[in-house]
Amino acid sequence: MRHDVWATVEDPGEAEGMFPVVRYLRAFGVSVQLLASGHALKELRSKGCEHWDATDTKSMYDQHEAPKLLLATTASSGGAGRDLVPLLRGKSKTVLLQSLWGGLAGWDDRHQPDYVITNDRISERLVTTLWPTLNPESVLKTGFPMLDKYAGLM
């Protein structure tokens, strides 16, 4: 089965940030497959969340048809999202959700996605410095949507 979207997570914080995105997309009938590696594997298993183990990214990629879209996060050590970008180039659109300032260790020109979603101007500057050939219109600033849930507490 070909999924519309692969969404990658490597640590529990990324998983918590990605869950609302996955739920939202699924509510609109989008087929989303969660891919986990690193510390997120234990977290997802303990919550009973269905996922693919993306520890061996290349092997996992070879076993499945490429998605239409990759949603990758900026894992501290790169992770499956970073490793999938060059494998999916020309086959799938790639979107990087930058979870924090920096968080791009191990990312280089080979891993430049089609789009990057950042939180603010500082993040945007970090991304455009790392990838000067990235079209500025491909960098989207969204604020900190994962913090929106706190707005209702005021």
Side-chain angles (χ1 to χ4, degrees), residues 13-95:
E14 287 177 349
E16 291 299 323
M18 186 64 81
F19 288 152
V21 176
V22 170
R23 280 193 295 272
Y24 183 83
L25 291 172
R26 286 178 176 166
F28 285 94
V30 177
S31 171
V32 181
Q33 179 59 54
L34 200 56
L35 287 78
S37 59
H39 297 292
L41 278 171
K42 182 179 178 182
E43 180 79 8
L44 295 181
R45 284 183 189 131
S46 73
K47 290 185 174 193
C49 293
E50 191 273 324
H51 63 280
W52 290 346
D53 184 334
T55 303
D56 183 348
T57 307
K58 177 73 168 91
S59 175
M60 191 242 16
Y61 167 80
D62 288 341
Q63 294 174 33
H64 303 282
E65 188 176 352
K68 295 176 185 175
L69 177 75
L70 170 70
L71 287 176
T73 52
T74 54
S76 54
S77 62
R82 181 204 59 200
D83 297 342
L84 283 167
V85 169
L87 294 172
L88 293 172
R89 188 165 284 117
K91 298 177 187 92
S92 309
K93 290 292 182 192
T94 55
V95 178

